[in-house]
Amino acid sequence: MQKLLDELTERLKKQLGDRLVSVVLYGSAAEGDYQGPFSDLNILCVLRQVGVSELFSAEPVVRWWREKDNPSPLLLSEEEIRNSSDCFPVEFHDIQEQGRVLYGADPRPLIQIQDHFYRAEVEHELRAKLLRLRQKAAGVMHDRPLLLRLLADSVTTFCVLIRHSLALHGEARRRHKREIIEGAKDRFGIDPAPFLTLLDLRDSKAKARDIDPVVLLENYMKEIQAVVASVDALGREGVSTT
């Protein structure tokens, strides 16, 4: 992983030159919870400005990076880092709390996050990802391997959002997925079994043939909805998350 990150940084420096301010790794890989084919390498590139010229320059690096099965880097200007934390508070929280600077100046002191925007985005993302899960599941209910793969692919995203949900409730930040789910059990009263089953599958501790994906989907959605309700309640009650 480090070799790949080093190569990415060198390619960005070569293509963008002094227009590149910093390169930051964030997400699970920045905290040592990287799991090969199930994890993305999330990258923030801070530029002096982001225009057509910069997009042309970055294109070969972005294309190469995507061919490595990673999401395209976030390309933000220094001004956007200062002024858009109200639009992307979840992402900026991750960058602020767990980001690892690979190159250049640390952009995290520029980030200022207001909690009411943070709560709203956490709820939005939970609901949106749950809706997306339903949409995709509706097309593969009779394809058991594909349905199970869909669930396994989704669990990391939901673990991240549950971690943010716990933070909104004043819980200490947990680094690893199983710790997050244990925290959700204690705070939200959820049954951790669906999440742990999927994590076991990803970690090769469980076999696909022993799992009924339809039953798992039903239980999984029920527990996600319980987390959504808890985050929604914070907004309805006007609870401060500071």
Side-chain angles (χ1 to χ4, degrees):
M1 184 187 78
Q2 188 58 50
K3 182 179 179 181
L4 189 61
L5 292 172
D6 290 343
E7 184 173 356
L8 171 68
T9 301
E10 289 305 313
R11 286 174 180 250
L12 287 168
K13 288 163 61 178
K14 180 179 179 181
Q15 289 297 122
L16 292 163
D18 61 5
R19 293 173 292 177
L20 181 65
V21 176
S22 57
V23 180
V24 181
L25 172 70
Y26 67 98
S28 59
E31 287 199 314
D33 196 22
Y34 180 70
Q35 289 184 299
F38 290 107
S39 296
D40 292 327
L41 292 175
N42 297 294
I43 298 294
L44 166 68
C45 293
V46 183
L47 308 178
R48 302 199 185 284
Q49 64 179 26
V50 184
V52 169
S53 174
E54 286 74 23
L55 297 181
F56 267 117
S57 297
E59 180 188 9
V61 186
V62 173
R63 191 186 317 120
W64 167 80
W65 189 241
R66 288 186 60 82
E67 288 171 356
K68 301 292 184 183
D69 295 323
N70 291 299
S72 295
L74 296 178
L75 303 178
L76 294 175
S77 69
E78 291 177 289
E79 180 181 2
E80 288 171 325
I81 292 288
R82 283 190 293 268
N83 298 331
S84 60
S85 59
D86 57 336
C87 299
F88 310 111
V90 168
E91 293 81 358
F92 278 122
H93 255 290
D94 281 342
I95 291 166
Q96 196 173 53
E97 294 176 0
Q98 62 190 203
R100 177 155 67 92
V101 178
L102 304 177
Y103 168 78
D106 188 345
R108 289 174 295 181
L110 301 176
I111 299 172
Q112 301 293 327
I113 299 171
Q114 298 182 44
D115 283 332
H116 62 283
F117 292 120
Y118 180 34
R119 190 216 63 81
E121 194 192 5
V122 172
E123 181 180 350
H124 170 80
E125 288 298 312
L126 278 166
R127 291 188 184 278
K129 295 300 187 293
L130 179 56
L131 288 172
R132 185 62 175 156
L133 178 66
R134 291 172 182 164
Q135 287 178 311
K136 290 185 174 182
V140 297
M141 290 299 291
H142 286 88
D143 189 330
R144 294 171 64 90
L146 198 55
L147 178 59
L148 189 56
R149 176 70 191 196
L150 170 65
L151 297 177
D153 285 345
S154 75
V155 72
T156 291
T157 295
F158 282 112
C159 284
V160 168
L161 292 172
I162 291 171
R163 173 167 58 79
H164 285 286
S165 301
L166 288 169
L168 283 168
H169 284 78
E171 296 285 334
R173 188 166 65 88
R174 292 165 171 81
R175 293 182 57 188
H176 299 292
K177 298 177 183 68
R178 294 176 189 273
E179 295 173 349
I180 292 166
I181 298 307
E182 186 64 27
K185 172 189 172 185
D186 295 339
R187 182 71 198 203
F188 306 130
I190 70 165
D191 178 1
F195 300 92
L196 296 178
T197 296
L198 291 170
L199 293 174
D200 285 345
L201 181 65
R202 289 163 57 102
D203 293 341
S204 300
K205 295 178 180 178
K207 297 184 183 300
R209 67 171 179 264
D210 297 328
I211 300 171
D212 184 333
V214 175
V215 173
L216 181 58
L217 173 64
E218 182 176 16
N219 295 332
Y220 187 48
M221 291 194 300
K222 177 184 174 183
E223 304 312 327
I224 293 168
Q225 287 167 333
V227 178
V228 173
S230 294
V231 175
D232 178 65
L234 284 177
R236 293 179 183 277
E237 295 166 7
V239 175
S240 172
T241 59
T242 55

